[in-house]
Coordinates of all heavy atoms in Angstrom, one line a residue:
M931 N -24.3 52.0 95.6 CA -23.8 52.7 96.7 C -22.4 53.3 96.3 O -21.6 52.6 95.8 CB -23.6 51.8 97.9 CG -23.3 52.5 99.2 SD -23.3 51.3 100.6 CE -25.0 51.0 100.8
P932 N -22.3 54.6 96.5 CA -21.0 55.2 96.0 C -19.8 54.9 96.9 O -20.0 54.5 98.1 CB -21.3 56.7 96.2 CG -22.4 56.8 97.2 CD -23.2 55.6 97.1
I933 N -18.7 55.0 96.3 CA -17.5 54.7 97.0 C -16.7 56.0 97.2 O -16.5 56.8 96.3 CB -16.5 53.7 96.2 CG1 -17.3 52.4 96.1 CG2 -15.2 53.5 97.0 CD1 -16.5 51.4 95.2
Y934 N -16.4 56.3 98.5 CA -15.7 57.5 98.8 C -14.2 57.2 99.1 O -13.9 56.2 99.6 CB -16.3 58.2 100.0 CG -17.7 58.7 99.7 CD1 -18.8 58.1 100.3 CD2 -17.9 59.8 98.9 CE1 -20.1 58.5 100.0 CE2 -19.2 60.3 98.6 CZ -20.3 59.6 99.2 OH -21.5 60.1 99.0
E935 N -13.4 58.1 98.7 CA -12.0 57.9 99.0 C -11.6 58.9 100.2 O -12.0 60.1 100.2 CB -11.1 58.2 97.8 CG -9.6 57.9 98.1 CD -8.8 58.1 96.8 OE1 -9.3 58.6 95.8 OE2 -7.6 57.7 96.9
Y936 N -10.9 58.3 101.1 CA -10.5 59.1 102.3 C -9.0 59.1 102.4 O -8.3 58.2 102.0 CB -11.1 58.6 103.6 CG -12.6 58.9 103.7 CD1 -13.5 58.0 103.2 CD2 -13.0 60.0 104.4 CE1 -14.9 58.3 103.3 CE2 -14.4 60.2 104.6 CZ -15.3 59.4 104.0 OH -16.6 59.6 104.1
Q937 N -8.5 60.2 103.0 CA -7.1 60.2 103.3 C -6.9 60.5 104.8 O -7.4 61.4 105.3 CB -6.4 61.3 102.5 CG -4.9 61.3 102.7 CD -4.1 62.2 101.7 OE1 -4.7 63.2 101.2 NE2 -2.9 61.9 101.4
C938 N -6.1 59.7 105.4 CA -5.8 59.9 106.8 C -5.0 61.2 107.0 O -4.1 61.5 106.3 CB -4.9 58.7 107.3 SG -4.4 58.9 109.0
T939 N -5.4 61.9 108.0 CA -4.8 63.2 108.3 C -3.5 63.0 109.1 O -2.7 64.0 109.3 CB -5.7 64.2 109.0 OG1 -6.2 63.5 110.2 CG2 -6.9 64.5 108.1
R940 N -3.3 61.8 109.6 CA -2.1 61.6 110.4 C -0.9 61.0 109.6 O 0.2 61.5 109.5 CB -2.4 60.7 111.6 CG -1.1 60.5 112.5 CD -1.4 59.4 113.5 NE -2.3 59.8 114.5 CZ -2.7 59.0 115.5 NH1 -2.3 57.8 115.5 NH2 -3.5 59.5 116.4
C941 N -1.2 59.9 108.9 CA -0.2 59.2 108.2 C -0.3 59.3 106.7 O 0.6 58.9 106.0 CB -0.1 57.7 108.6 SG -1.5 56.8 107.9
G942 N -1.4 59.9 106.2 CA -1.5 60.1 104.8 C -2.0 58.9 104.0 O -2.1 59.0 102.8
E943 N -2.4 57.9 104.7 CA -2.9 56.7 104.0 C -4.2 57.0 103.3 O -5.1 57.6 103.9 CB -3.1 55.6 105.1 CG -3.7 54.3 104.6 CD -2.7 53.4 103.8 OE1 -1.6 53.8 103.7 OE2 -3.2 52.4 103.4
K944 N -4.3 56.5 102.1 CA -5.6 56.7 101.3 C -6.3 55.3 101.3 O -5.7 54.3 101.1 CB -5.3 57.1 99.9 CG -4.8 58.5 99.8 CD -4.6 58.9 98.4 CE -4.0 60.3 98.2 NZ -3.7 60.7 96.8
F945 N -7.6 55.4 101.5 CA -8.4 54.2 101.5 C -9.9 54.6 101.1 O -10.3 55.7 101.1 CB -8.5 53.5 102.9 CG -8.9 54.4 104.0 CD1 -10.2 54.4 104.5 CD2 -8.0 55.3 104.6 CE1 -10.6 55.2 105.5 CE2 -8.4 56.1 105.6 CZ -9.7 56.1 106.1
E946 N -10.5 53.5 100.5 CA -11.9 53.7 100.0 C -12.9 53.1 100.9 O -12.7 52.1 101.5 CB -12.0 53.1 98.6 CG -11.1 53.9 97.6 CD -11.1 53.2 96.2 OE1 -11.6 52.1 96.1 OE2 -10.7 53.9 95.2
V947 N -14.0 53.8 101.0 CA -15.1 53.3 101.9 C -16.4 53.4 101.1 O -16.7 54.4 100.5 CB -15.2 54.1 103.2 CG1 -16.3 53.7 104.0 CG2 -13.9 54.0 103.9
R948 N -17.2 52.3 101.1 CA -18.5 52.4 100.6 C -19.5 53.0 101.6 O -19.5 52.5 102.7 CB -19.0 51.0 100.2 CG -18.4 50.4 98.9 CD -19.1 49.2 98.5 NE -18.5 48.6 97.3 CZ -17.5 47.8 97.3 NH1 -16.9 47.5 98.4 NH2 -17.0 47.4 96.1
Q949 N -20.2 54.0 101.2 CA -21.1 54.7 102.2 C -22.4 55.0 101.5 O -22.4 55.3 100.3 CB -20.5 56.0 102.7 CG -19.4 55.7 103.7 CD -19.0 57.1 104.3 OE1 -18.7 58.0 103.6 NE2 -18.9 57.1 105.6
A950 N -23.4 55.0 102.3 CA -24.7 55.5 101.8 C -24.6 57.0 101.7 O -23.9 57.6 102.4 CB -25.8 55.1 102.7
I951 N -25.4 57.6 100.7 CA -25.4 59.0 100.6 C -25.9 59.7 101.9 O -26.9 59.3 102.4 CB -26.2 59.4 99.4 CG1 -25.6 58.9 98.1 CG2 -26.4 61.0 99.3 CD1 -26.4 59.2 96.9
G952 N -25.2 60.6 102.4 CA -25.6 61.3 103.6 C -24.8 60.9 104.8 O -24.7 61.7 105.7
E953 N -24.1 59.8 104.7 CA -23.2 59.4 105.8 C -22.0 60.2 105.7 O -21.5 60.6 104.6 CB -22.9 57.9 105.7 CG -23.9 57.1 106.4 CD -23.3 55.6 106.5 OE1 -22.5 55.4 107.4 OE2 -23.7 54.8 105.7
D954 N -21.4 60.5 106.8 CA -20.1 61.2 106.8 C -19.0 60.3 107.4 O -19.3 59.1 107.7 CB -20.2 62.5 107.6 CG -20.6 62.3 109.1 OD1 -20.4 61.1 109.6 OD2 -21.1 63.2 109.7
G955 N -17.8 60.8 107.5 CA -16.7 60.0 107.9 C -16.4 60.0 109.4 O -15.4 59.7 109.8
A956 N -17.4 60.4 110.1 CA -17.2 60.6 111.6 C -16.8 59.4 112.3 O -16.0 59.4 113.3 CB -18.4 61.3 112.2
K957 N -17.3 58.2 111.8 CA -17.0 57.0 112.5 C -15.9 56.2 111.9 O -15.7 55.1 112.2 CB -18.3 56.1 112.5 CG -19.4 56.7 113.4 CD -20.7 56.0 113.2 CE -21.3 56.3 111.9 NZ -22.7 55.8 111.8
L958 N -15.2 56.8 110.9 CA -14.2 56.0 110.2 C -12.9 56.2 110.9 O -12.6 57.2 111.6 CB -14.1 56.6 108.8 CG -15.3 56.3 107.9 CD1 -15.1 57.0 106.5 CD2 -15.5 54.8 107.7
N959 N -12.1 55.2 110.7 CA -10.7 55.2 111.3 C -9.7 54.8 110.2 O -10.1 53.9 109.4 CB -10.5 54.3 112.5 CG -11.3 54.8 113.7 OD1 -12.5 54.6 113.8 ND2 -10.6 55.5 114.5
C960 N -8.6 55.3 110.2 CA -7.5 54.9 109.3 C -7.2 53.4 109.5 O -7.0 53.0 110.6 CB -6.3 55.8 109.5 SG -4.9 55.2 108.5
P961 N -7.2 52.6 108.4 CA -6.9 51.2 108.5 C -5.5 50.9 108.9 O -5.1 49.8 109.2 CB -7.3 50.6 107.1 CG -7.1 51.8 106.2 CD -7.5 53.0 107.0
K962 N -4.7 51.9 108.7 CA -3.2 51.7 109.0 C -2.8 52.1 110.4 O -2.2 51.4 111.1 CB -2.4 52.6 107.9 CG -1.0 52.2 107.8 CD -0.4 53.0 106.7 CE 1.1 52.7 106.5 NZ 1.7 53.5 105.4
C963 N -3.2 53.4 110.8 CA -2.7 53.9 112.1 C -3.9 54.1 113.1 O -3.7 54.5 114.2 CB -1.9 55.1 111.9 SG -2.9 56.6 111.5
R964 N -5.1 53.8 112.6 CA -6.3 53.9 113.4 C -6.7 55.3 113.8 O -7.5 55.6 114.8 CB -6.2 53.0 114.7 CG -5.8 51.6 114.4 CD -6.6 50.9 113.4 NE -8.0 50.8 113.9 CZ -9.0 50.3 113.2 NH1 -8.8 50.0 111.9 NH2 -10.2 50.2 113.7
A965 N -6.1 56.3 113.2 CA -6.5 57.7 113.5 C -7.9 58.0 113.1 O -8.3 57.6 112.0 CB -5.5 58.7 112.8
P966 N -8.6 58.7 113.8 CA -10.0 59.1 113.5 C -10.1 60.2 112.5 O -9.1 60.9 112.3 CB -10.7 59.4 114.8 CG -9.5 60.0 115.6 CD -8.3 59.3 115.2
N967 N -11.3 60.5 112.0 CA -11.6 61.6 111.2 C -10.8 61.8 110.0 O -10.1 62.8 109.8 CB -11.6 62.9 112.0 CG -12.5 62.8 113.2 OD1 -13.6 62.3 113.1 ND2 -12.1 63.3 114.4
P968 N -10.8 60.9 109.1 CA -10.0 61.0 107.8 C -10.7 62.1 107.0 O -11.9 62.4 107.1 CB -10.1 59.6 107.1 CG -11.4 59.1 107.7 CD -11.5 59.6 109.1
K969 N -9.9 62.6 106.1 CA -10.4 63.7 105.2 C -10.9 63.1 103.9 O -10.3 62.2 103.3 CB -9.2 64.6 104.8 CG -9.6 65.7 103.8 CD -8.4 66.6 103.6 CE -7.2 65.9 102.9 NZ -6.1 66.8 102.7
R970 N -12.1 63.5 103.5 CA -12.7 62.9 102.3 C -12.2 63.5 101.1 O -12.1 64.7 100.9 CB -14.3 63.1 102.3 CG -14.9 62.5 101.1 CD -16.4 62.8 101.1 NE -17.2 62.1 102.1 CZ -18.5 62.2 102.2 NH1 -19.2 63.0 101.4 NH2 -19.2 61.5 103.1
L971 N -11.8 62.7 100.1 CA -11.3 63.1 98.8 C -12.4 63.0 97.8 O -13.4 62.3 98.0 CB -10.1 62.3 98.4 CG -8.9 62.3 99.5 CD1 -7.8 61.4 99.0 CD2 -8.4 63.7 99.7
F972 N -12.2 63.6 96.6 CA -13.2 63.5 95.6 C -12.7 62.4 94.6 O -11.8 62.7 93.8 CB -13.3 64.8 94.9 CG -14.0 65.9 95.7 CD1 -13.2 66.8 96.4 CD2 -15.4 65.9 95.9 CE1 -13.8 67.7 97.2 CE2 -16.0 66.8 96.7 CZ -15.2 67.8 97.3
S973 N -13.3 61.3 94.6 CA -12.9 60.2 93.7 C -14.1 59.4 93.2 O -14.0 58.6 92.4 CB -11.9 59.3 94.3 OG -12.5 58.5 95.3
S974 N -15.3 59.7 93.9 CA -16.4 58.7 93.8 C -16.9 58.6 92.3 O -17.0 57.4 91.8 CB -17.5 59.2 94.7 OG -17.8 60.6 94.4
F975 N -17.2 59.6 91.6 CA -17.9 59.5 90.4 C -17.0 59.8 89.2 O -17.4 59.8 88.1 CB -19.1 60.3 90.3 CG -20.2 59.9 91.3 CD1 -20.3 60.6 92.5 CD2 -20.9 58.8 91.1 CE1 -21.2 60.2 93.4 CE2 -21.9 58.4 92.0 CZ -22.0 59.1 93.2
F976 N -15.8 60.1 89.4 CA -14.9 60.4 88.3 C -13.8 59.4 88.2 O -13.1 59.0 89.2 CB -14.2 61.8 88.5 CG -15.3 62.9 88.7 CD1 -15.7 63.3 89.9 CD2 -15.9 63.4 87.5 CE1 -16.6 64.3 90.0 CE2 -16.8 64.4 87.7 CZ -17.2 64.8 88.9
S977 N -13.6 58.9 87.0 CA -12.5 57.9 86.8 C -11.2 58.7 86.9 O -11.1 59.8 86.5 CB -12.7 57.3 85.4 OG -12.6 58.2 84.4
P978 N -10.1 58.0 87.3 CA -8.8 58.6 87.6 C -8.2 59.2 86.3 O -7.4 60.1 86.3 CB -8.0 57.5 88.1 CG -8.9 56.5 88.6 CD -10.2 56.6 87.8
G979 N -8.6 58.6 85.1 CA -8.0 59.0 83.9 C -8.5 60.3 83.3 O -7.9 61.0 82.6
S980 N -9.8 60.7 83.7 CA -10.4 61.9 83.1 C -10.0 63.1 83.9 O -10.4 63.3 85.0 CB -11.9 61.7 83.1 OG -12.4 61.7 84.5
S981 N -9.2 63.9 83.3 CA -8.8 65.2 84.0 C -9.7 66.3 83.6 O -10.2 66.4 82.5 CB -7.4 65.5 83.5 OG -7.3 65.7 82.2
T982 N -9.9 67.2 84.5 CA -10.8 68.3 84.3 C -10.0 69.4 83.6 O -8.8 69.4 83.6 CB -11.4 68.8 85.6 OG1 -10.4 69.3 86.4 CG2 -12.2 67.8 86.3
T983 N -10.7 70.4 83.1 CA -10.1 71.5 82.4 C -9.9 72.7 83.4 O -9.6 73.8 82.9 CB -10.9 72.0 81.2 OG1 -12.2 72.3 81.6 CG2 -10.9 70.9 80.1
E984 N -10.1 72.4 84.6 CA -10.0 73.5 85.6 C -8.6 74.0 85.7 O -7.7 73.2 85.8 CB -10.4 72.9 87.0 CG -11.2 73.9 87.8 CD -11.8 73.3 89.0 OE1 -12.0 72.1 89.1 OE2 -12.0 74.1 90.0
P985 N -8.4 75.3 85.7 CA -7.0 75.8 85.8 C -6.5 75.6 87.2 O -7.2 75.7 88.2 CB -7.2 77.3 85.4 CG -8.6 77.6 85.7 CD -9.4 76.3 85.5
S986 N -5.2 75.2 87.3 CA -4.7 75.0 88.6 C -4.0 76.2 89.2 O -3.5 76.2 90.3 CB -3.6 73.9 88.5 OG -2.6 74.2 87.6
G987 N -4.1 77.3 88.5 CA -3.5 78.6 89.0 C -4.4 79.3 90.0 O -5.3 78.7 90.5
T988 N -4.1 80.5 90.2 CA -4.9 81.3 91.2 C -5.8 82.3 90.5 O -6.3 83.2 91.0 CB -4.0 82.1 92.1 OG1 -3.1 82.9 91.4 CG2 -3.1 81.1 93.0
S989 N -6.0 82.1 89.2 CA -6.8 83.0 88.4 C -8.3 82.9 88.8 O -8.7 81.8 89.4 CB -6.7 82.7 86.9 OG -7.1 81.4 86.6
C990 N -9.1 83.9 88.6 CA -10.5 83.9 89.0 C -11.2 82.8 88.2 O -11.1 82.7 87.0 CB -11.1 85.2 88.6 SG -12.8 85.3 89.0
P991 N -12.0 82.0 88.9 CA -12.7 80.8 88.2 C -13.8 81.3 87.4 O -14.3 80.6 86.5 CB -13.2 80.0 89.4 CG -13.3 80.9 90.5 CD -12.2 82.0 90.3
T992 N -14.3 82.5 87.5 CA -15.5 83.0 86.8 C -15.1 83.7 85.5 O -16.0 84.0 84.7 CB -16.4 83.9 87.7 OG1 -15.6 85.0 88.0 CG2 -16.8 83.2 88.9
C993 N -13.9 84.0 85.3 CA -13.5 84.8 84.1 C -12.2 84.3 83.6 O -11.3 85.1 83.6 CB -13.5 86.2 84.5 SG -12.1 86.6 85.6
S994 N -12.1 83.1 83.2 CA -10.8 82.4 82.9 C -9.6 83.3 82.6 O -8.5 82.8 82.7 CB -11.1 81.5 81.6 OG -11.5 82.3 80.6
S995 N -9.8 84.5 82.2 CA -8.7 85.4 81.9 C -8.1 86.0 83.2 O -6.9 86.4 83.2 CB -9.1 86.5 81.0 OG -10.1 87.3 81.6
G996 N -8.8 86.0 84.2 CA -8.3 86.5 85.5 C -8.2 88.0 85.6 O -7.4 88.5 86.4
V997 N -8.9 88.7 84.8 CA -8.8 90.2 84.8 C -10.1 90.9 85.3 O -10.3 92.0 85.0 CB -8.4 90.7 83.4 CG1 -7.0 90.2 83.1 CG2 -9.4 90.3 82.4
C998 N -11.0 90.2 86.0 CA -12.2 90.8 86.4 C -12.1 91.6 87.6 O -13.0 92.4 88.0 CB -13.3 89.7 86.6 SG -12.9 88.7 88.1
G999 N -10.9 91.6 88.3 CA -10.7 92.4 89.5 C -11.2 91.8 90.8 O -10.8 92.3 91.8
L1000 N -11.9 90.7 90.7 CA -12.4 90.0 91.9 C -11.2 89.2 92.4 O -10.5 88.6 91.7 CB -13.6 89.2 91.6 CG -14.9 89.9 91.2 CD1 -15.9 88.9 90.8 CD2 -15.4 90.7 92.4
P1001 N -11.1 89.1 93.7 CA -10.1 88.3 94.3 C -10.4 86.8 94.0 O -11.6 86.4 94.1 CB -10.1 88.6 95.8 CG -11.5 89.1 96.0 CD -11.9 89.8 94.8
P1002 N -9.4 86.0 93.8 CA -9.7 84.6 93.5 C -10.2 83.9 94.8 O -9.9 84.2 95.9 CB -8.3 84.0 93.2 CG -7.3 85.0 93.8 CD -8.0 86.3 93.7
M1003 N -11.1 82.9 94.6 CA -11.7 82.2 95.7 C -10.6 81.4 96.4 O -10.0 80.6 95.8 CB -12.8 81.3 95.2 CG -14.0 82.0 94.6 SD -14.9 83.0 95.8 CE -15.7 81.7 96.7
Ligands
LIG1220 ZN1 -3.3 56.8 109.2

């Protein structure tokens, strides 16, 4: 069963929840302030140490050089 990481939208608390695939966070509450509807983060299948090569800038993701003329997503 995958573990999802959520972040509270009110106080910013991060917490992990084991969920079956297909479940959403609608019934979750922040363990700290009890606020509903936490935001799901991406942490489930990637170890914290492995960084992606994705550029953090605003360049076009389809043409690493950023000169294709398309607006960035
Ligand atoms: Zn909270």
Side-chain angles (χ1 to χ4, degrees):
M931 193 173 287
I933 298 176
Y934 295 107
E935 186 175 11
Y936 286 87
Q937 183 172 28
C938 176
T939 55
R940 180 190 288 176
C941 73
E943 176 77 0
K944 290 181 181 177
F945 54 98
E946 294 178 343
V947 177
R948 284 189 179 85
Q949 282 188 314
I951 294 175
E953 273 189 82
D954 58 23
K957 288 172 289 189
L958 294 174
N959 290 82
C960 172
K962 193 174 180 181
C963 73
R964 311 305 298 172
N967 303 320
K969 180 177 62 178
R970 183 186 283 182
L971 305 176
F972 292 99
S973 72
S974 49
F975 295 102
F976 301 99
S977 60
S980 65
S981 62
T982 62
T983 56
E984 217 172 335
S986 58
T988 56
S989 61
C990 178
T992 60
C993 66
S994 61
S995 61
V997 293
C998 68
L1000 293 173
M1003 295 294 286

